[in-house]
């Protein structure tokens, strides 16, 4: 599948430690390279995660979960 640079960055960060929750601010800082993500209100992370979920849904053994109020995590699917 084709992934944009940002989608790849999000996926890479989530896969570094599966099951670890990665917050939006961390994603904005590390993937979007924002110096002060606390001062920014944006839905861009949510949009990119949504696109990434669609692309991965047919080929991936795991899923990207939303942890309300905290961020996202990659979780392997149960067999």
């Amino acid at each position: 599948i084709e992934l944009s640079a940002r989608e790849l960055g999000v996926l890479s960060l989530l896969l570094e430690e599966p099951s670890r929750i990665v917050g939006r601010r961390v994603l904005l800082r590390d993937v979007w390279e924002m110096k002060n993500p606390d001062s920014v209100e944006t839905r861009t992370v949510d949009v990119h995660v949504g696109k990434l979920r669609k692309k991965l849904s047919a080929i991936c053994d795991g899923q990207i979960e939303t942890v309300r109020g905290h961020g996202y995590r990659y979780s392997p699917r149960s067999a």
Side-chain angles (χ1 to χ4, degrees):
I1 61 171
E2 273 189 51
L3 298 177
S4 70
R6 298 276 161 88
E7 291 166 342
L8 185 58
V10 169
L11 183 60
S12 295
L13 199 55
L14 292 173
L15 290 176
E16 279 180 9
E17 290 182 57
S19 300
R20 179 188 82 154
I21 299 169
V22 179
R24 285 180 180 83
R25 301 296 179 221
V26 171
L27 290 165
L28 287 170
R29 183 191 68 215
D30 294 354
V31 177
W32 277 262
E33 299 179 353
M34 290 186 176
K35 300 223 185 288
N36 191 9
D38 294 328
S39 66
V40 177
E41 282 300 318
T42 180
R43 302 274 302 161
T44 193
V45 172
D46 305 321
V47 170
H48 280 79
V49 167
K51 289 179 182 179
L52 186 55
R53 281 180 175 144
K54 282 183 182 180
K55 290 179 179 182
L56 295 177
S57 65
I59 64 162
C60 192
D61 288 338
Q63 60 187 358
I64 298 173
E65 298 178 339
T66 299
V67 181
R68 191 174 175 138
H70 297 284
Y72 300 97
R73 73 173 158 219
Y74 178 83
S75 294
R77 287 192 180 135
S78 300

